[in-house]
Amino acid sequence: MQALAGVNWRERRLLVACSGGIDSMVLLHGLLQIGLKPEVLHVNYQLRGEDSEADQRLVEETAAHHRLKIHVHRCPVTVTKGEGVNLQAAARDFRRKLFEEWIARSPRHVVVVAHHADDQVETFFLQLLRGGGTYGLGGMHPERNQVIRPLLTISRKDILDYAQLHKISWREDKSNAETAYLRNLLRNKLLPGLAPEHPHLKEHVLLLMRLFRGKQQEIESEISPMVDSWNQSGELRIEDWLHWDDAQRLAFTRKLDWPAWTVTRMNELAAGGVGNRFLVNDQTIWKRNSSYIKAVIRGREIQWDFKIERSEERRV
């Protein structure tokens, strides 16, 4: 598969996220076709009873047939069930944290996932509907934070054609046909409805997303020295913060893994008096003098709530 051959795989330990669905089974087959021997990671979310177990068996049998090392993780049902739980978001967060933990334990590993061009287009419209900015509308990156997505230029139709040509076995997740979730509604109803009148819609969206990702890289390059300074000294010049636009401010907080709301709190902090402060993660951040915003470690307990303190402490 040409998309896979174009990636530099040297000196990398590959961990393929394989659900048993058509996308990841084609990805695994393609990697084997170009002579690679990846390890396989399967997450069983235990949501569809015997269907979930059958997915796991298919992946295990495929890995055994090709003598590949496999790692199976069973997601606790408490993660994806309960009042008010968004099933897709909970599953996605569990998988993301699993990838992060794996890479932290084994920095030489890269995780290879099977997101493709149609997933990317769906992501664009999801972000557009949610008011996403430069980062959201740029979508998924082909390679970022040791996660590789080599199929982002490949369409769902091409993946299906490849699977049929090579007689690849896969499992169909029946929940993909439901429209209870916005992504499924886009995939099954809205985008197919637009296709007859706008046959080049996907190509235009993918081009626009590449432009947004290019803008992201430009912004990250601009704020990189200040991120490095913060990581070294825990200080940021208020003058620099006030000089940035919203996209640069968001990029700074994203680089530090802060929630999006911290942009608003930093704006308040930069405009406030000496001594104002708020909490994020395990840091207290406050303005020490008229020139700098400074962070001080307060302990290891993560605190996602924030507060602004002035002469009298109060909650915002």
Side-chain angles (χ1 to χ4, degrees), residues 208-223:
L208 187 59
M209 296 179 84
R210 286 197 296 273
L211 295 176
F212 276 118
R213 290 197 298 276
K215 183 61 176 178
Q216 289 176 26
Q217 293 173 351
E218 179 184 326
I219 292 170
E220 288 177 357
S221 177
E222 291 169 351
I223 58 98

PDB file of all heavy atoms in Angstrom, residues 208-223:
ATOM      1  N   LEU A 208      -8.400  22.361   2.848  1.00  0.00           N
ATOM      2  CA  LEU A 208      -8.555  23.406   3.860  1.00  0.00           C
ATOM      3  C   LEU A 208      -7.953  22.970   5.194  1.00  0.00           C
ATOM      4  O   LEU A 208      -7.299  23.778   5.882  1.00  0.00           O
ATOM      5  CB  LEU A 208     -10.040  23.727   4.029  1.00  0.00           C
ATOM      6  CG  LEU A 208     -10.418  24.901   4.927  1.00  0.00           C
ATOM      7  CD1 LEU A 208      -9.786  26.185   4.414  1.00  0.00           C
ATOM      8  CD2 LEU A 208     -11.929  25.047   5.006  1.00  0.00           C
ATOM      9  N   MET A 209      -8.117  21.711   5.548  1.00  0.00           N
ATOM     10  CA  MET A 209      -7.556  21.199   6.810  1.00  0.00           C
ATOM     11  C   MET A 209      -6.032  21.230   6.784  1.00  0.00           C
ATOM     12  O   MET A 209      -5.395  21.538   7.797  1.00  0.00           O
ATOM     13  CB  MET A 209      -8.070  19.788   7.081  1.00  0.00           C
ATOM     14  CG  MET A 209      -9.579  19.719   7.300  1.00  0.00           C
ATOM     15  SD  MET A 209     -10.192  18.048   7.599  1.00  0.00           S
ATOM     16  CE  MET A 209      -9.885  17.912   9.377  1.00  0.00           C
ATOM     17  N   ARG A 210      -5.445  20.922   5.624  1.00  0.00           N
ATOM     18  CA  ARG A 210      -3.981  21.000   5.524  1.00  0.00           C
ATOM     19  C   ARG A 210      -3.501  22.434   5.745  1.00  0.00           C
ATOM     20  O   ARG A 210      -2.460  22.673   6.373  1.00  0.00           O
ATOM     21  CB  ARG A 210      -3.513  20.488   4.161  1.00  0.00           C
ATOM     22  CG  ARG A 210      -3.591  18.983   4.011  1.00  0.00           C
ATOM     23  CD  ARG A 210      -2.751  18.491   2.841  1.00  0.00           C
ATOM     24  NE  ARG A 210      -3.236  18.986   1.562  1.00  0.00           N
ATOM     25  CZ  ARG A 210      -4.175  18.393   0.834  1.00  0.00           C
ATOM     26  NH1 ARG A 210      -4.742  17.282   1.278  1.00  0.00           N
ATOM     27  NH2 ARG A 210      -4.546  18.894  -0.332  1.00  0.00           N
ATOM     28  N   LEU A 211      -4.261  23.403   5.227  1.00  0.00           N
ATOM     29  CA  LEU A 211      -3.898  24.806   5.432  1.00  0.00           C
ATOM     30  C   LEU A 211      -3.985  25.186   6.911  1.00  0.00           C
ATOM     31  O   LEU A 211      -3.127  25.902   7.432  1.00  0.00           O
ATOM     32  CB  LEU A 211      -4.809  25.711   4.601  1.00  0.00           C
ATOM     33  CG  LEU A 211      -4.691  25.563   3.086  1.00  0.00           C
ATOM     34  CD1 LEU A 211      -5.722  26.446   2.384  1.00  0.00           C
ATOM     35  CD2 LEU A 211      -3.286  25.925   2.616  1.00  0.00           C
ATOM     36  N   PHE A 212      -5.011  24.707   7.593  1.00  0.00           N
ATOM     37  CA  PHE A 212      -5.136  24.968   9.026  1.00  0.00           C
ATOM     38  C   PHE A 212      -3.978  24.344   9.797  1.00  0.00           C
ATOM     39  O   PHE A 212      -3.445  24.946  10.734  1.00  0.00           O
ATOM     40  CB  PHE A 212      -6.467  24.444   9.555  1.00  0.00           C
ATOM     41  CG  PHE A 212      -7.624  25.387   9.371  1.00  0.00           C
ATOM     42  CD1 PHE A 212      -8.717  25.038   8.595  1.00  0.00           C
ATOM     43  CD2 PHE A 212      -7.614  26.635   9.973  1.00  0.00           C
ATOM     44  CE1 PHE A 212      -9.786  25.913   8.430  1.00  0.00           C
ATOM     45  CE2 PHE A 212      -8.673  27.520   9.817  1.00  0.00           C
ATOM     46  CZ  PHE A 212      -9.761  27.152   9.038  1.00  0.00           C
ATOM     47  N   ARG A 213      -3.580  23.117   9.424  1.00  0.00           N
ATOM     48  CA  ARG A 213      -2.453  22.479  10.125  1.00  0.00           C
ATOM     49  C   ARG A 213      -1.154  23.231   9.870  1.00  0.00           C
ATOM     50  O   ARG A 213      -0.297  23.329  10.749  1.00  0.00           O
ATOM     51  CB  ARG A 213      -2.332  21.018   9.712  1.00  0.00           C
ATOM     52  CG  ARG A 213      -3.470  20.140  10.237  1.00  0.00           C
ATOM     53  CD  ARG A 213      -3.117  18.664  10.166  1.00  0.00           C
ATOM     54  NE  ARG A 213      -2.894  18.202   8.812  1.00  0.00           N
ATOM     55  CZ  ARG A 213      -3.841  17.817   7.965  1.00  0.00           C
ATOM     56  NH1 ARG A 213      -5.114  17.861   8.331  1.00  0.00           N
ATOM     57  NH2 ARG A 213      -3.544  17.388   6.752  1.00  0.00           N
ATOM     58  N   GLY A 214      -1.007  23.771   8.658  1.00  0.00           N
ATOM     59  CA  GLY A 214       0.166  24.599   8.382  1.00  0.00           C
ATOM     60  C   GLY A 214       0.181  25.842   9.256  1.00  0.00           C
ATOM     61  O   GLY A 214       1.240  26.249   9.756  1.00  0.00           O
ATOM     62  N   LYS A 215      -0.988  26.443   9.463  1.00  0.00           N
ATOM     63  CA  LYS A 215      -1.088  27.614  10.345  1.00  0.00           C
ATOM     64  C   LYS A 215      -0.762  27.221  11.783  1.00  0.00           C
ATOM     65  O   LYS A 215      -0.105  27.982  12.501  1.00  0.00           O
ATOM     66  CB  LYS A 215      -2.494  28.200  10.261  1.00  0.00           C
ATOM     67  CG  LYS A 215      -2.693  29.463  11.085  1.00  0.00           C
ATOM     68  CD  LYS A 215      -1.779  30.589  10.632  1.00  0.00           C
ATOM     69  CE  LYS A 215      -2.058  31.867  11.414  1.00  0.00           C
ATOM     70  NZ  LYS A 215      -1.134  32.961  11.013  1.00  0.00           N
ATOM     71  N   GLN A 216      -1.193  26.047  12.204  1.00  0.00           N
ATOM     72  CA  GLN A 216      -0.868  25.552  13.543  1.00  0.00           C
ATOM     73  C   GLN A 216       0.647  25.504  13.737  1.00  0.00           C
ATOM     74  O   GLN A 216       1.174  25.949  14.763  1.00  0.00           O
ATOM     75  CB  GLN A 216      -1.430  24.149  13.748  1.00  0.00           C
ATOM     76  CG  GLN A 216      -2.928  24.056  13.879  1.00  0.00           C
ATOM     77  CD  GLN A 216      -3.373  22.614  13.974  1.00  0.00           C
ATOM     78  OE1 GLN A 216      -2.620  21.741  14.403  1.00  0.00           O
ATOM     79  NE2 GLN A 216      -4.603  22.348  13.574  1.00  0.00           N
ATOM     80  N   GLN A 217       1.336  24.935  12.763  1.00  0.00           N
ATOM     81  CA  GLN A 217       2.791  24.808  12.875  1.00  0.00           C
ATOM     82  C   GLN A 217       3.458  26.177  12.953  1.00  0.00           C
ATOM     83  O   GLN A 217       4.427  26.372  13.695  1.00  0.00           O
ATOM     84  CB  GLN A 217       3.328  24.006  11.686  1.00  0.00           C
ATOM     85  CG  GLN A 217       2.881  22.551  11.690  1.00  0.00           C
ATOM     86  CD  GLN A 217       3.268  21.818  10.423  1.00  0.00           C
ATOM     87  OE1 GLN A 217       3.731  22.413   9.447  1.00  0.00           O
ATOM     88  NE2 GLN A 217       3.082  20.502  10.421  1.00  0.00           N
ATOM     89  N   GLU A 218       2.934  27.132  12.182  1.00  0.00           N
ATOM     90  CA  GLU A 218       3.472  28.490  12.226  1.00  0.00           C
ATOM     91  C   GLU A 218       3.292  29.106  13.611  1.00  0.00           C
ATOM     92  O   GLU A 218       4.217  29.722  14.161  1.00  0.00           O
ATOM     93  CB  GLU A 218       2.754  29.329  11.164  1.00  0.00           C
ATOM     94  CG  GLU A 218       3.179  30.774  11.111  1.00  0.00           C
ATOM     95  CD  GLU A 218       2.352  31.560  10.103  1.00  0.00           C
ATOM     96  OE1 GLU A 218       1.972  30.987   9.065  1.00  0.00           O
ATOM     97  OE2 GLU A 218       2.078  32.759  10.373  1.00  0.00           O
ATOM     98  N   ILE A 219       2.115  28.932  14.183  1.00  0.00           N
ATOM     99  CA  ILE A 219       1.829  29.483  15.510  1.00  0.00           C
ATOM    100  C   ILE A 219       2.709  28.831  16.562  1.00  0.00           C
ATOM    101  O   ILE A 219       3.275  29.509  17.439  1.00  0.00           O
ATOM    102  CB  ILE A 219       0.343  29.299  15.852  1.00  0.00           C
ATOM    103  CG1 ILE A 219      -0.526  30.182  14.946  1.00  0.00           C
ATOM    104  CG2 ILE A 219       0.072  29.629  17.317  1.00  0.00           C
ATOM    105  CD1 ILE A 219      -2.006  29.891  15.052  1.00  0.00           C
ATOM    106  N   GLU A 220       2.839  27.507  16.497  1.00  0.00           N
ATOM    107  CA  GLU A 220       3.649  26.789  17.486  1.00  0.00           C
ATOM    108  C   GLU A 220       5.102  27.230  17.425  1.00  0.00           C
ATOM    109  O   GLU A 220       5.779  27.308  18.449  1.00  0.00           O
ATOM    110  CB  GLU A 220       3.520  25.286  17.269  1.00  0.00           C
ATOM    111  CG  GLU A 220       2.156  24.746  17.673  1.00  0.00           C
ATOM    112  CD  GLU A 220       2.007  23.265  17.390  1.00  0.00           C
ATOM    113  OE1 GLU A 220       2.959  22.676  16.824  1.00  0.00           O
ATOM    114  OE2 GLU A 220       0.965  22.708  17.740  1.00  0.00           O
ATOM    115  N   SER A 221       5.589  27.508  16.227  1.00  0.00           N
ATOM    116  CA  SER A 221       6.962  28.000  16.082  1.00  0.00           C
ATOM    117  C   SER A 221       7.119  29.366  16.737  1.00  0.00           C
ATOM    118  O   SER A 221       8.145  29.649  17.374  1.00  0.00           O
ATOM    119  CB  SER A 221       7.331  28.071  14.601  1.00  0.00           C
ATOM    120  OG  SER A 221       8.616  28.614  14.421  1.00  0.00           O
ATOM    121  N   GLU A 222       6.103  30.201  16.621  1.00  0.00           N
ATOM    122  CA  GLU A 222       6.165  31.557  17.192  1.00  0.00           C
ATOM    123  C   GLU A 222       6.172  31.530  18.723  1.00  0.00           C
ATOM    124  O   GLU A 222       6.879  32.327  19.348  1.00  0.00           O
ATOM    125  CB  GLU A 222       4.967  32.361  16.698  1.00  0.00           C
ATOM    126  CG  GLU A 222       5.013  32.701  15.214  1.00  0.00           C
ATOM    127  CD  GLU A 222       3.693  33.265  14.704  1.00  0.00           C
ATOM    128  OE1 GLU A 222       2.695  33.241  15.458  1.00  0.00           O
ATOM    129  OE2 GLU A 222       3.664  33.719  13.541  1.00  0.00           O
ATOM    130  N   ILE A 223       5.399  30.637  19.317  1.00  0.00           N
ATOM    131  CA  ILE A 223       5.280  30.666  20.780  1.00  0.00           C
ATOM    132  C   ILE A 223       6.243  29.679  21.455  1.00  0.00           C
ATOM    133  O   ILE A 223       6.329  29.649  22.685  1.00  0.00           O
ATOM    134  CB  ILE A 223       3.832  30.377  21.222  1.00  0.00           C
ATOM    135  CG1 ILE A 223       3.321  29.026  20.703  1.00  0.00           C
ATOM    136  CG2 ILE A 223       2.911  31.486  20.759  1.00  0.00           C
ATOM    137  CD1 ILE A 223       3.409  27.905  21.673  1.00  0.00           C
TER     138      ILE A 223
END
